Amino acid sequence: MRRNTTLGLLAALPLTLAACGTPREQCISRNTSEYRQVSALLAEVEGNLARGYAWEERQVVRSRFGQCEALRRDKDGRTAVTTYGCWRDYADNERYRVAIDPQAEMRKRDNLAARQAALSRSANAAIDACRAAYPQEG
C-alpha cells in the first residue's frame, strides 16, 4: 500500500487552517480543495520524473530498551511506583526508493496537468465568488 507522509500532511493542513480561518478563507479552502489535491499529485509525479524513482513508506516495528513503571503494594497496603528496565516496541516509518515506469508517469503527468487546467477555471471563479461574498475587512 502506498503512503506518502508529506502528501498526507499537505492534505490535512488546509483542513486544520480552514477550521481557524476567516469565513473568506474557509470559503476559498472549501471550494478549491480538489484543485489543491490535483496540484499536489502533479508535483509528486513531476518530482518522480525528475528523480527517476518514487518514494514509498512502510512501517517497521522495532524494539528498544527503556524504563517501565509498575504499581506495587507493600505488606501494609501502601502503593508505590517502581521502575524497571524493559523492552518496548515502537513503530518507525521507513522511506525507500521504488522504480517507476517513465512512460506511465508521463501519461499520468499529462492527465493531471489537463485536469489541473480544467479545475483552474472553476477554482478561480470560486475564489472570485468568495471574495465577493466575504469582502476583506480592513
Side-chain angles (χ1 to χ4, degrees):
M1 187 164 129
R2 191 168 193 205
R3 273 189 59 216
N4 188 333
T5 304
T6 305
L7 188 59
L9 291 174
L10 287 175
L13 184 63
L15 294 175
T16 304
L17 293 177
C20 61
T22 64
R24 181 185 201 177
E25 291 168 344
Q26 290 176 5
C27 178
I28 291 172
S29 175
R30 192 173 44 248
N31 290 304
T32 60
S33 63
E34 186 177 0
Y35 175 79
R36 287 191 320 271
Q37 288 174 348
V38 168
S39 296
L41 289 171
L42 181 59
E44 180 184 357
V45 169
E46 288 174 342
N48 292 347
L49 284 169
R51 281 188 308 272
Y53 57 87
W55 286 108
E56 287 196 13
E57 288 188 0
R58 61 179 162 226
Q59 225 177 27
V60 179
V61 178
R62 296 189 170 117
S63 296
R64 69 176 147 206
F65 196 74
Q67 293 286 322
C68 294
E69 295 179 346
L71 290 175
R72 305 269 189 226
R73 289 193 184 271
D74 61 10
K75 62 182 178 182
D76 297 328
R78 294 182 301 239
T79 59
V81 177
T82 59
T83 60
Y84 59 95
C86 62
W87 288 96
R88 291 187 170 235
D89 291 337
Y90 68 98
D92 193 18
N93 289 331
E94 189 174 77
R95 229 171 110 170
Y96 61 100
R97 296 176 184 186
V98 177
I100 61 169
D101 178 10
Q103 296 301 318
E105 289 290 308
M106 283 190 258
R107 284 191 303 271
K108 193 185 310 182
R109 180 196 60 202
D110 296 341
N111 289 335
L112 286 170
R115 181 70 179 145
Q116 183 186 38
L119 289 172
S120 175
R121 290 185 290 277
S122 63
N124 287 333
I127 289 171
D128 291 340
C130 290
R131 286 182 179 153
Y134 302 102
Q136 191 73 352
E137 297 176 10

